[in-house]
Structure formats: structure tokens, C-alpha cells
Amino acid sequence: MNDSKKGGLFGIIFVLVLAIVLGGSGYMIFKSPARISATTGGNYTANLMNGGHLLDDGDYIYFSVPEKDGIWCVKADGSDLEQISKSGCGNLQTDSGNYYFTDQSKLIACSLFGQNASTVLENARNPYIVGDRIYYIDENGYVCKYLKWNGEKRELGIKTGGQMIVYSARIYYVGEDGYIHKCALDGTDDKAIFENKTDMFSIDGQLMYALSGGEIHMISMKGDNTDTEVLCKADAFTVNSGWVMYNADGKCLLGELTKMVTDEDYTPDCILENEADALQIGENSFYVYDGDKLQKLPFDTGKLEDFIALK
């Protein structure tokens, strides 16, 4: 083998080794964050983190209004607005043709357009509909599992100090210590994976995003790695399609994740001159609650537009 071929081979080997080393540390994940937010219960974990006020079901958008009672349904083009329930406050999800939402502490199930509504659980905070099981936090702060087919309830022996996510055969939750923990679906194999006091968190592919100490932290979920990187300062946020929308410094901002991580001179766009009341995402758009308006920002245009007037 001549010297030029040897040099080329060694160069390829060096690049491969470097990619393995950096990828193992989480570096490559941070530079190329996933583009699709994780889903569970027919809704995005990023939505459920923020109250689950909006559910994009394709042809229809179901939504609630923060600090108000009621569930509404509207076509995806903004027409045919209809209130389908006079009660209800969020955690919108769908599974096997049924729709779910919370009414104060109750978990309600109904069919299309709010018909045949019935109470599934009397006390179910932060519920997650996962096939024939419902995971939720009870009135004492313990994570429980409800079996749809026989009505059995099981306490899993773990107590939360805040939010919970059920994703990819694992339960992620904020423990009494304020840290993010991960455990099996039966509550075993519990361990802390992010030892910072956490206000809220979401999952986006191989990354977890946590709001801690007024900053958004990106946490690698690749294998056993829990490498972290601070993204930006924020008061609230949502993530999807390679973008993060967040409230900070009294404004609502939109930033491209890759540029925020790799370009020190990059400045996110200002979407609102005030902080949004709630941030939600749909299949093709961000949705921004702003006073008496629900606005949308399509991923393909990046321009905020009026959607409907809130009642």
C-alpha cells in the first residue's frame, strides 16, 4: 500500500474513532437534536408538560383554555368551533377512538365530539394513557397504574414531587428530591438521571429538555449517558420539529435548536412582545395562547397567524 492510500485509510479511521468518542459523550446528539417530539397517549409529551391544553387529531383540534373550564373542538382550518364540554381543564389525550381530559382531579373519557362522557378516575393528576393502562399521580402524590380491562388500581411505590412522563417502557418523574428519576413500568429499577431541581421536562427523541434554575437543560438519553448542556434562559418552553419556543425576559421567542447549540452569535426570533399564556404544539404548527387569542405558527412558514378567538 502506498503512502497516499495509507494516509487516507488512517484519516478515515481517525474520523470514525472521533465520531464514536464524541457520540458516546452526547456531543453529537446535542449538535443534531431530534426533530420530532415524543408522543404518548396520542399527544406530545411537550404538550402534556404544559398542561395538555391542545390535542391535534388530524382533521380536528381539541383544546382547553388555561384558567378556564371547558373543552372545545375546531376543524384544523379554524372553522366550525364548538364547545363539547362545559367542564375540563386539560391533559387532552386520545387512544383507540376514545378521548380523555381532566376535570379538576377527575379523569374523563368520551367519544368523538364529547359524547358519552364518563368518569374513569376520581383522582388522577398528570395522567398518561398507554394502551390498556393509565398511569397517573394520585391525591397523595404516588404514581399509580389503572388497568382498563378490570378496573384494578395499583400503587407503584414511587412518590413524586412534580411532573411525570411515561415513554418507551419507562416512567420518568420528578421525585420528592426535585431530581428527574427513571424507573421501570412497575416502579422498580429507580434511579436519578438529572440531579438538578427541575420545574418541568419533556422528551424529544434521544434528548430530554428540563427547565431548572431558570434555564433549559438538554440531557442526553443515549444509553446510560446523562450528559447535559444548557440551551438558554427561560421561564417556560416547548420543543418540536427542531425548534424551541420559550418565554424569557418578558417575551415569547423562537429558536432553531441546532443553531442555538452551535452558533454563539445566533439570536432567536421574537414572536410576541409579551410572554405567552401557554405554549402547545400540533402536527404542523406551534400554538400560542395570548390573551383572548389562540394563534398558530406553522413550521414551514415560521410566521405567527391568528387561528381562533378564545371564549
Side-chain angles (χ1 to χ4, degrees):
M1 182 181 293
N2 61 38
D3 290 341
S4 62
K5 289 184 178 179
K6 287 181 179 179
L9 178 60
F10 289 144
I12 293 171
I13 293 173
F14 175 78
V15 169
L16 289 174
V17 171
L18 182 63
I20 292 170
V21 172
L22 293 178
S25 68
Y27 179 87
M28 295 300 291
I29 299 177
F30 292 141
K31 298 300 181 184
S32 302
R35 299 195 61 81
I36 303 298
S37 179
T39 59
T40 187
N43 206 345
Y44 297 99
T45 63
N47 279 354
L48 297 172
M49 169 187 71
N50 284 303
H53 291 295
L54 187 141
L55 169 66
D56 186 341
D57 195 33
D59 293 333
Y60 289 91
I61 304 292
Y62 293 82
F63 68 93
S64 60
V65 181
E67 310 300 329
K68 293 184 180 181
D69 290 331
I71 305 294
W72 284 263
C73 176
V74 65
K75 285 186 177 179
D77 63 4
S79 64
D80 294 343
L81 176 65
E82 179 182 356
Q83 185 173 11
I84 64 172
S85 174
K86 292 184 178 180
S87 62
C89 53
N91 289 300
L92 286 158
Q93 298 174 64
T94 183
D95 179 71
S96 301
N98 291 317
Y99 294 81
Y100 297 84
F101 60 89
T102 50
D103 179 5
Q104 303 302 322
S105 63
K106 296 180 180 180
L107 177 64
I108 308 297
C110 64
S111 54
L112 190 66
F113 306 127
Q115 298 172 336
N116 306 313
S118 62
T119 299
V120 180
L121 291 165
E122 289 289 339
N123 291 285
R125 181 166 62 85
N126 202 180
Y128 272 79
I129 317 302
V130 184
D132 55 8
R133 295 168 171 80
I134 300 173
Y135 294 85
Y136 65 98
I137 301 172
D138 70 8
E139 64 271 29
N140 298 313
Y142 285 95
V143 177
C144 300
K145 176 171 63 176
Y146 173 81
L147 308 180
K148 290 183 184 178
W149 67 87
N150 62 8
E152 181 182 348
K153 303 175 186 176
R154 298 177 185 174
E155 185 184 291
L156 301 184
I158 51 179
K159 192 170 186 179
T160 71
Q163 181 198 348
M164 173 185 71
I165 288 176
V166 181
Y167 174 68
S168 190
R170 292 289 184 271
I171 298 172
Y172 299 84
Y173 69 97
V174 176
E176 291 184 282
D177 53 12
Y179 302 160
I180 298 178
H181 290 245
K182 178 176 73 171
C183 66
L185 291 178
D186 61 0
T188 60
D189 195 25
D190 183 279
K191 66 177 180 179
I193 59 173
F194 181 61
E195 296 184 356
N196 286 28
K197 301 288 185 180
T198 300
D199 299 315
M200 56 171 35
F201 69 99
S202 177
I203 294 173
D204 187 357
Q206 291 185 314
L207 286 173
M208 179 182 292
Y209 298 84
L211 185 63
S212 174
E215 297 175 324
I216 301 174
H217 295 249
M218 302 170 67
I219 307 161
S220 169
M221 295 174 61
K222 186 177 180 181
D224 294 326
N225 292 319
T226 54
D227 299 313
T228 66
E229 181 167 319
V230 174
L231 184 63
C232 62
K233 293 185 178 296
D235 301 316
F237 75 97
T238 188
V239 178
N240 198 39
S241 199
W243 296 82
V244 57
M245 182 177 284
Y246 61 102
N247 288 335
D249 298 324
K251 299 179 180 180
C252 182
L253 306 170
L254 178 71
E256 189 173 348
L257 284 168
T258 300
K259 290 183 179 179
M260 291 177 73
V261 173
T262 60
D263 186 352
E264 295 181 356
D265 298 323
Y266 174 69
T267 301
D269 295 327
C270 180
I271 302 303
L272 293 173
E273 291 294 337
N274 55 276
E275 293 194 351
D277 297 323
L279 301 168
Q280 299 283 282
I281 54 178
E283 184 176 344
N284 301 305
S285 303
F286 285 104
Y287 289 86
V288 181
Y289 287 77
D290 181 28
D292 61 354
K293 295 183 295 185
L294 177 57
Q295 298 175 286
K296 65 186 294 185
L297 190 150
F299 299 145
D300 58 352
T301 68
K303 295 187 180 298
L304 197 64
E305 56 190 58
D306 289 340
F307 184 52
I308 55 173
L310 300 174
K311 295 185 178 182

